[in-house]
Amino acid sequence: MSWNDRNVLITGVSGFVGSYLAKYLIDQGANVYGLIRRRADGRIPKNLVDRGIYNEVKLIEADLLDLAGLANAIDEAQPDVIFHLAAQSFVPRSFTHPLETFQINTLGTANLLEAVRVKDYDPTIVFAGSSEEYGLVISSEEQYNRVKAKYGHVSPEPERIPEVPINEGNPLRPMSPYAVSKIHGEYIFRNYYYTYGMKTIVSRGFNHEGAGRGIMFVTSVVTNQVMKYKFGETDKILIGNVNAFRDWSHVMDIVRGYCLLAEKGRPGDVYNQGSMRTNSVMSYILLSLEQAGWKIEKIETMKNNKVVENPTEIDDSEMFGVKFEKTKLDRMMLENEIEFTIEDEGVWVHTDKGKIPVVFDPNRFRPSEVPILMADTRKIQKLGFKAEHRLTDIIRDQLNYFLRPENRV
Ligand code: GDP
């Protein structure tokens, strides 16, 4: 499908992913309309300015909670394709603001579909679902036993261990109001295909990052602090749970994936989007320091004497039946050889230019946590998807973004 001259409506266009998607589609010749909330402060959305497309996106003011506003937006855009990305997308906020999260993510999603239905348009609509929907993923027998001891049960019980890489048939065990809201949104999407024959397609995106990623997400939390440390603006790196493993993709890989799903995805169906690798938050910190110019010799916990020599050594051995790029430390953590706890207080990173403190901040730990995510992307690969970027490409883009003092927080 050529995007040239096609009408595309993006909800969440001023967000991190929406703005990259809009830029990509504009470059392909599409007429891009973007839904945007009225701003009391009248500020111009930074992401659209940063992408250089502020004057090219046709912005339509409408709130996801206002059905009439949505219907007007659809009249105006006459969309061939809608990408529904608008959401309250930050997991910790969903713990403190669950109702707001449900309103925007579930009711807002239902409103959008209703607006399309009553208007009798027949666009392809792609939903930004999330890997968080999988939630509690079981990666080993040891972890299964630990989880069972902590919660008393695992529900639904895993049909296989490990459940990694995670395919679309995996049970959903949401661990946050955000995850629940996305499951709800996804199911309304799929149901509108079965009930009304609408061309709805669901993407379950694993984490995607890059320059301009919201400052509260861990990849920005890390790269922002590494650059601040580099410029002497801080004397330590503060972080929460470094044991978490995520499948981090470059935002541009996911943007291309969204377009591919609009072109070739099967209505009513669900597709994972990710890189089919998994890396720890700790490795993200170490690789960021390395890219920023430090040579890492070893790490050592502040308490409890846990030491790993050459933690960033590349390891591309097979794990979970997949060969993927990770660090020596990732492999050790995945094999349960080492785990970091709050009681360790933090980690000294020994480098060629001295020791760097990475300090565990109890306030940054979550009430319930998703321990590991790794996408099985074979389904979308069959449509032609390929993740092009390595983890270090993402880190480089983020560090370059934070080179500019005005971007550092
Ligand atoms: P998520 O996967 O959508 O929740 O994406 P985030 O980037 O917010 O978090 C990824 C992982 O990093 C989670 O397991 C967090 O617990 C962990 N993490 C550790 N320290 C931090 C921190 O300071 N901020 C955030 N946002 N996450 C952190």
Side-chain angles (χ1 to χ4, degrees):
M1 175 166 95
S2 158
W3 289 97
N4 196 35
D5 245 359
R6 296 185 68 90
N7 293 340
V8 178
L9 175 64
I10 302 175
T11 75
V13 74
S14 57
F16 168 62
V17 186
S19 58
Y20 275 100
L21 177 61
K23 162 94 171 96
Y24 180 77
L25 288 168
I26 286 167
D27 289 347
Q28 313 277 317
N31 307 315
V32 176
Y33 294 82
L35 211 62
I36 192 157
R37 261 177 306 173
R38 194 181 302 278
R39 291 188 167 223
D41 58 10
R43 267 206 342 246
I44 294 175
K46 180 175 188 309
N47 284 324
L48 296 180
V49 177
D50 283 359
R51 273 353 122 237
I53 53 169
Y54 180 62
N55 292 318
E56 283 157 276
V57 180
K58 300 171 194 46
L59 294 177
I60 306 174
E61 278 187 2
D63 197 298
L64 281 177
L65 299 180
D66 170 19
L67 191 58
L70 290 173
N72 284 332
I74 285 159
D75 279 337
E76 193 175 331
Q78 302 197 13
D80 301 303
V81 177
I82 301 176
F83 293 98
H84 178 37
L85 309 184
Q88 191 304 93
S89 65
F90 190 44
V91 173
R93 185 169 173 92
S94 80
F95 290 115
T96 52
H97 296 74
L99 294 182
E100 175 202 81
T101 305
F102 293 137
Q103 274 218 314
I104 299 171
N105 297 7
T106 64
L107 189 57
T109 297
N111 280 339
L112 178 68
L113 290 177
E114 263 306 276
V116 175
R117 186 175 77 87
V118 299
K119 278 284 153 194
D120 254 344
Y121 279 95
D122 190 26
T124 298
I125 321 181
V126 181
F127 178 61
S130 166
S131 57
E132 292 289 322
E133 293 173 44
Y134 294 114
L136 188 54
V137 172
I138 304 299
S139 61
S140 66
E141 289 288 346
E142 289 95 321
Q143 184 229 1
Y144 172 78
N145 290 330
R146 263 186 280 139
V147 167
K148 200 152 177 160
K150 179 168 179 190
Y151 295 110
H153 64 268
V154 176
S155 176
E157 281 284 339
E159 282 171 14
R160 62 186 179 117
I161 295 180
E163 297 178 311
V164 180
I166 310 157
N167 65 43
E168 289 83 354
N170 210 73
L172 304 177
R173 304 185 193 97
M175 295 302 274
S176 63
Y178 168 78
V180 174
S181 75
K182 283 289 179 181
I183 292 175
H184 194 276
E186 159 175 339
Y187 274 74
I188 317 171
F189 251 70
R190 294 164 69 185
N191 183 256
Y192 268 56
Y193 167 70
Y194 294 112
T195 306
Y196 304 113
M198 282 168 53
K199 293 181 292 196
T200 56
I201 299 161
V202 173
S203 151
R204 280 190 197 142
F206 286 61
N207 300 53
H208 32 296
E209 318 294 323
R213 175 64 152 150
I215 194 66
M216 61 283 201
F217 292 92
V218 77
T219 59
S220 288
V221 167
V222 168
T223 44
N224 174 47
Q225 291 188 87
V226 166
M227 273 337 231
K228 282 174 75 171
Y229 191 85
K230 176 113 186 152
F231 290 107
E233 295 160 8
T234 184
D235 57 2
K236 59 180 165 304
I237 289 163
L238 278 173
I239 200 70
N241 175 21
V242 293
N243 299 304
F245 276 77
R246 289 292 182 271
D247 179 324
W248 282 296
S249 290
H250 194 285
V251 61
M252 281 313 297
D253 284 331
I254 303 293
V255 159
R256 287 194 199 93
Y258 275 129
C259 295
L260 183 67
L261 288 180
E263 288 171 51
K264 298 193 178 153
R266 203 161 61 169
D269 213 347
V270 185
Y271 297 83
N272 279 346
Q273 283 216 70
S275 294
M276 216 155 169
R277 61 181 174 235
T278 193
N279 300 96
S280 63
V281 170
M282 193 68 214
S283 283
Y284 211 92
I285 299 171
L286 298 177
L287 292 171
S288 297
L289 286 170
E290 210 161 66
Q291 287 248 340
W294 286 277
K295 197 174 168 316
I296 292 168
E297 289 157 2
K298 70 169 178 182
I299 55 172
E300 180 187 17
T301 53
M302 292 174 173
K303 293 264 165 71
N304 300 331
N305 247 332
K306 301 173 190 168
V307 177
V308 179
E309 305 276 347
N310 302 317
T312 52
E313 231 172 61
I314 298 271
D315 175 313
D316 59 4
S317 63
E318 187 175 299
M319 286 192 93
F320 311 120
V322 185
K323 255 174 104 75
F324 65 97
E325 200 171 63
K326 59 195 156 316
T327 62
K328 170 182 163 185
L329 178 67
D330 287 336
R331 185 177 45 73
M332 291 174 67
M333 292 170 81
L334 288 170
E335 288 177 343
N336 295 306
E337 275 177 53
I338 184 165
E339 187 185 12
F340 300 94
T341 64
I342 298 195
E343 291 72 39
D344 299 337
E345 291 186 1
V347 166
W348 287 108
V349 182
H350 293 251
T351 76
D352 57 338
K353 302 185 204 93
K355 291 197 302 185
I356 301 173
V358 173
V359 177
F360 300 157
D361 173 3
N363 295 322
R364 293 171 186 244
F365 287 71
R366 299 181 176 181
S368 53
E369 173 72 298
V370 174
I372 180 167
L373 291 171
M374 178 184 186
D376 185 335
T377 57
R378 280 174 282 202
K379 188 168 171 183
I380 193 170
Q381 280 179 40
K382 287 200 190 108
L383 304 183
F385 177 81
K386 188 167 181 294
E388 306 277 354
H389 294 81
R390 298 170 61 195
L391 191 65
T392 42
D393 297 330
I394 308 172
I395 292 175
R396 189 196 51 233
D397 279 4
Q398 289 192 295
L399 289 173
N400 285 342
Y401 176 80
F402 289 116
L403 253 180
R404 302 174 70 168
E406 67 270 26
N407 289 335
R408 293 200 289 276
V409 181

